[in-house]
Amino acid sequence: MCGIIGIVSDAHSGAREILLNGLERLEYRGYDSAGVALVDESTAIYKTAGRVAALRRMVGASADAGTGIAHTRWATHGPPSETNSHPHKDCKGRVVVVHNGIIENFSTLKKALQDDGHQFVSQTDTEVFAHLFEDELAALDKVDLENATAAFRRTISKLDGQYAIVTSVAGLPGVLFAARSHAPLLAGLADGMTLFASDATAVVEHTKQVVYLEDGDLAVATPEGLHLFDIDGKTIERAPQTISWDIEDAQKGGYDHFMLKEIYDGPRAINDALAGRLFPTPPHVRLELGMDDARLRGIGRILILACGTSFHAGMVGKYVIEKLVGIPVEVAYSSEYRYGSEVREEPGLAVAISQSGETADTLAALREARSRGHTVLSVCNVVGSTIARESDGVLYIQSGPEIGVAATKSFLGQLCALYLLAFRLAEIQGTLPASDLRELERGLQHTSRLVDQVLQKSETIAEQAALIAKADSCFFLGRQVLYPIALEGALKLKEISYIHAEGYSGGELKHGPFALLTPDTPVVALLAPDGVYSKMASNIIEVKARGPQVFIVTTASDTEAEQLGDHVIRVPDTEAIFTPLTHAAALHLLSYHAAAARGCEIDKPRNLAKSVTVE
Ligand code: F6R
């Protein structure tokens, strides 16, 4: 959950800016403290319990080097503090290390090291690495690259848990060592420099050639390039991949916040998710599912695994697949499924949904599903991520980097991927007339324009958000395909504005939560032109009778909305099945504006991090 970056170059300066700029792009992964080590003949370490901006002020404009490592932290072991922030070092200050993940056997290792006389200064698990490596180096006759590499391998072999580690050793200038186990790490290859980073946003400014490290990989980087090997020292050959997006995609582009920029990227995210996948001739939907037609024809049930916003996309997927294909779909929280009882499951298709592709619970659930015989298809955004690599097939949503902690454009991309999956299954299983499917495909292609029109209502939405911003508590209601969107609206509002919010199915509120309704509890109700419109209208009337202000999100030709609610946000008309896209865009804007009205730190909400790589 932390962000790490390292650079080794043939220059004597330049590392400071590369590291600090990279850290700023990685800050979404964790931002409770930050630190940097500039490695030259001696190593200068700067650390702060603040954010990267504070670190930048602390480092100043004169300190620099050609090599260095840096870290932005989301605390796991030890509270956020200057002492606990990375880089950490050994007793002699010879080993300097940054780490993302958790060293699970750290307390046993720490006790043994302390018994041997090592002095620990922090409460982190990471510091054990520095002291272990210190011992291995101390045992060498000579600290040269070959010996130190072997010592690094021996050190890594003592660690259990999850780690992406980058470390330097005094006396070996121009060398960085790295290792990966269940935490993301890539190497960027450029002229005269090699970089390591938790993700590509931190290196894309300098190179588009990257090598994704895999679990069990160790690496030595020099300005000339990268040497990959395994724990036994056996060389691993892996070709670099080319990043397909630019630095502009990882910047705010004039918006006040990444979240706002990414909400406005929504129409493009829809187009990108559909690009190259819909065709006028059969098969009309072409996806890289890792399964042949016979296998797709035989799919009789689907299990969807995901967390948070991705889980909400999965719930929409359930409605859509069950409606169009008629096969049962179960949606499980990854964190529940991974520890669930092993019921007799027919091996089928499991779909793991994850923007980052690194969420620890979803990764574990994916592995569990595979062990139960399921074929796993993942719906991911980050190319080369662990979940993508461990799946039988990957449906990339192609949304580009998402930096705001709250997922927005990727949610729309995930929905599109699930619509496409439903269309493909309906096509190959023959569950819908071809003309209906073509109609739906055209409808989906049109949704980017509809979302664009929703975004043009930003001002009206901001006015309504200003009213919601005054509340302490808020409810979101929806039914059927809009029920997950009610959950999503509530999640977004609470995570970025800190207003307590709950999403409910329209029919459920009277089974208890009615007790909480007061004139100060706004209720946001979602309506679609579907078979439950009148049921939802009755639910709204029941709510209204208890005094809350009702905000309605509905389609353009709804003639009843003004009689039902106090405030109405209209989205363009569309098939009910596509209203998750239009309504979600409206709710993302609503939470954004509510959080902005409350002066919240939108891109980095308290206690959160973008990708949750710990359990
Ligand atoms: C909420 C949000 C989170 C993520 C969740 C799963 O706005 O972003 O709920 O959706 O942590 O993350 P991924 O999709 O990366 O597995």
Side-chain angles (χ1 to χ4, degrees):
M1 305 267 293
C2 306
I4 62 176
I5 177 167
I7 173 197
V8 52
S9 78
D10 55 14
H12 288 288
S13 60
R16 182 194 67 228
E17 282 309 295
I18 290 175
L19 293 171
L20 292 173
N21 292 343
L23 272 196
E24 268 161 8
R25 298 216 178 89
L26 293 173
E27 226 181 353
Y28 72 90
R29 302 179 60 84
Y31 36 80
D32 58 39
S33 49
V36 60
L38 296 169
V39 183
D40 214 332
E41 264 136 46
S42 62
T43 299
I45 298 180
Y46 305 84
K47 307 207 273 192
T48 169
R51 295 198 170 170
V52 177
L55 180 67
R56 191 183 277 285
R57 283 193 296 277
M58 175 185 261
V59 177
S62 52
D64 210 349
T67 295
I69 56 179
H71 187 274
T72 177
R73 180 164 187 251
W74 188 83
T76 52
H77 289 76
S81 68
E82 189 188 318
T83 316
N84 286 335
S85 56
H86 301 216
H88 291 289
K89 51 187 186 170
D90 64 338
C91 299
K92 303 190 188 79
R94 187 182 199 184
V95 174
V96 181
V97 61
V98 290
H99 161 225
N100 168 32
I102 296 175
I103 297 171
E104 283 164 1
N105 56 340
F106 92 99
S107 42
T108 323
L109 294 170
K110 184 170 177 174
K111 166 111 193 20
L113 286 159
Q114 281 172 324
D115 289 349
D116 283 351
H118 286 268
Q119 299 295 318
F120 280 73
V121 294
S122 78
Q123 293 149 287
T124 65
D125 51 338
T126 306
E127 202 184 331
V128 295
F129 170 86
H131 294 280
L132 286 173
F133 199 14
E134 174 187 0
D135 274 356
E136 289 292 346
L137 290 167
L140 300 177
D141 296 336
K142 185 171 151 219
V143 179
D144 59 13
L145 185 55
E146 194 184 335
N147 286 340
T149 305
F152 178 64
R153 281 197 285 114
R154 286 193 294 276
T155 310
I156 290 292
S157 70
K158 294 179 183 157
L159 307 181
D160 290 338
Q162 307 139 35
Y163 48 81
I165 279 176
V166 182
T167 183
S168 66
V169 174
L172 284 178
V175 178
L176 288 179
F177 299 91
R180 175 201 154 122
S181 172
H182 306 289
L185 189 63
L186 58 80
L189 312 177
D191 262 359
M193 73 168 132
T194 306
L195 301 111
F196 288 111
S198 300
D199 80 35
T201 54
V203 303
V204 67
E205 199 175 350
H206 313 290
T207 178
K208 290 193 161 193
Q209 295 298 300
V210 297
V211 174
Y212 292 97
L213 272 72
E214 296 191 356
D215 289 342
D217 283 357
L218 287 79
V220 171
T222 61
E224 292 75 45
L226 185 76
H227 174 213
L228 272 187
F229 48 96
D230 66 15
I231 198 73
D232 300 318
K234 197 160 150 275
T235 296
I236 297 168
E237 301 291 350
R238 189 161 314 127
Q241 297 187 29
T242 307
I243 300 170
S244 59
W245 42 270
D246 293 310
I247 183 64
E248 290 72 36
D249 293 311
Q251 288 174 335
K252 277 192 216 157
Y255 289 92
D256 287 344
H257 297 95
F258 277 112
M259 182 180 178
L260 190 60
K261 177 199 174 232
E262 287 157 6
I263 291 172
Y264 276 88
D265 279 346
R268 199 180 67 168
I270 293 176
N271 287 333
D272 289 348
L274 305 184
R277 289 168 168 168
L278 286 168
F279 292 86
T281 52
H284 293 276
V285 184
R286 299 184 201 163
L287 305 171
E288 331 72 22
L289 299 177
M291 277 166 282
D292 60 19
D293 286 2
R295 178 86 184 78
L296 281 179
R297 226 171 264 121
I299 289 171
R301 63 182 292 273
I302 293 180
L303 166 69
I304 295 182
L305 301 165
C307 305
T309 288
S310 298
F311 179 84
H312 301 149
M315 287 179 73
V316 173
K318 170 185 166 71
Y319 280 101
V320 173
I321 295 168
E322 288 185 345
K323 188 173 170 67
L324 303 186
V325 193
I327 57 174
V329 179
E330 183 195 345
V331 194
Y333 283 119
S334 307
S335 51
E336 289 296 308
Y337 178 82
R338 64 182 291 192
Y339 294 117
S341 316
E342 206 166 313
V343 290
R344 252 173 281 125
E345 286 178 58
E346 284 293 307
L349 177 66
V351 180
I353 308 175
S354 175
Q355 184 284 129
S356 61
E358 301 293 346
T359 299
D361 281 323
T362 303
L363 180 59
L366 173 162
R367 289 177 179 155
E368 180 62 29
R370 289 194 90 168
S371 76
R372 295 187 196 180
H374 294 289
T375 302
V376 177
L377 169 71
S378 61
V379 175
C380 289
N381 190 27
V382 178
V383 175
S385 55
T386 314
I387 289 174
R389 282 190 281 112
E390 292 205 13
S391 302
D392 299 291
V394 193
L395 205 42
Y396 281 117
I397 60 173
Q398 305 171 161
S399 301
E402 189 175 65
I403 312 291
V405 163
T408 51
K409 64 173 176 176
S410 66
F411 180 63
L412 304 192
Q414 289 169 341
L415 294 182
C416 289
L418 293 164
Y419 287 121
L420 289 173
L421 178 64
F423 294 173
R424 177 74 188 118
L425 289 171
E427 181 177 38
I428 199 148
Q429 298 197 2
T431 55
L432 274 188
S435 57
D436 290 7
L437 261 176
R438 290 308 79 73
E439 190 71 26
L440 283 168
E441 286 157 17
R442 276 193 295 276
L444 181 59
Q445 282 171 309
H446 191 59
T447 55
S448 67
R449 262 166 281 166
L450 306 184
V451 168
D452 198 30
Q453 289 170 38
V454 176
L455 301 179
Q456 288 167 27
K457 307 226 160 180
S458 184
E459 256 178 58
T460 319
I461 295 175
E463 283 163 21
Q464 302 195 12
L467 301 174
I468 291 178
K470 295 183 190 141
D472 293 327
S473 188
C474 180
F475 284 91
F476 287 75
L477 304 184
R479 293 186 79 135
Q480 296 294 303
V481 79
L482 288 178
Y483 167 45
I485 304 306
L487 297 178
E488 170 63 5
L491 173 63
K492 281 289 115 80
L493 186 69
K494 73 183 124 195
E495 77 175 312
I496 60 165
S497 75
Y498 313 144
I499 298 171
H500 170 250
E502 304 238 25
Y504 271 94
S505 153
E508 272 299 302
L509 215 62
K510 53 181 163 305
H511 298 288
F514 257 23
L516 294 173
L517 295 184
T518 70
D520 298 327
T521 320
V523 174
V524 181
L526 313 180
L527 281 161
D530 58 9
V532 289
Y533 181 95
S534 61
K535 304 289 170 203
M536 190 62 202
S538 307
N539 298 146
I540 297 170
I541 293 165
E542 292 157 9
V543 165
K544 198 75 200 98
R546 271 90 194 160
Q549 280 200 76
V550 174
F551 295 75
I552 291 188
V553 183
T554 190
T555 46
S557 50
D558 177 353
T559 52
E560 291 174 39
E562 269 77 13
Q563 284 102 67
L564 290 170
D566 304 287
H567 310 275
V568 180
I569 297 169
R570 288 193 182 270
V571 302
D573 283 322
T574 180
E575 293 278 330
I577 201 168
F578 297 130
T579 52
L581 290 164
T582 49
H583 287 49
L587 294 189
H588 287 165
L589 271 181
L590 190 75
S591 343
Y592 172 82
H593 287 303
R598 288 165 70 97
C600 296
E601 190 150 9
I602 292 174
D603 284 332
K604 300 184 189 97
R606 68 183 175 218
N607 303 335
L608 298 182
K610 180 76 180 160
S611 67
V612 186
T613 55
V614 292
E615 224 189 306

